[in-house]
Amino acid sequence: MAKYDQELYRIKAEFCKILTDPTRQMMIAELRTGEKTVGEIAEALGIVQSMTSHHLAILKSKGVVEAKREGANVYYSFS
């Protein structure tokens, strides 16, 4: 058996890439207080909704956050 599991370290490296962006770090900090809509996150961070949606899509694709649609709103929270 190998001393190091290369796949495990590849997964860890991919996860670290997600955290290299300051905007995504701020989003994670914002979501620590609870579920929020894209608009609420955009307003809290002072960025446009399209940029917010882009970063949230990355976080969602990596399983960091999950999305829940209620009517016209999409709510994000930790997975």
Side-chain angles (χ1 to χ4, degrees):
M1 180 176 203
K3 183 175 179 178
Y4 296 103
D5 182 343
Q6 288 187 349
E7 180 63 11
L8 175 63
Y9 282 92
R10 186 196 63 75
I11 291 167
K12 287 180 177 184
E14 285 295 315
F15 185 75
C16 287
K17 286 180 189 177
I18 297 166
L19 301 177
T20 61
D21 187 283
T23 300
R24 290 193 284 270
Q25 288 185 22
M26 290 185 291
M27 288 178 172
I28 290 169
E30 188 63 29
L31 288 171
R32 286 178 52 203
T33 62
E35 183 178 80
K36 297 206 172 23
T37 65
V38 174
E40 290 170 333
I41 296 168
E43 184 178 331
L45 300 182
I47 60 175
V48 296
Q49 283 194 10
S50 60
M51 181 181 286
T52 305
S53 293
H54 169 75
H55 285 289
L56 287 168
I58 292 169
L59 292 171
K60 184 180 173 203
S61 73
K62 299 300 183 183
V64 177
V65 299
E66 58 186 25
K68 174 179 70 175
R69 180 172 291 280
E70 286 186 11
N73 292 315
V74 178
Y75 291 86
Y76 285 86
S77 61
F78 285 114
S79 296

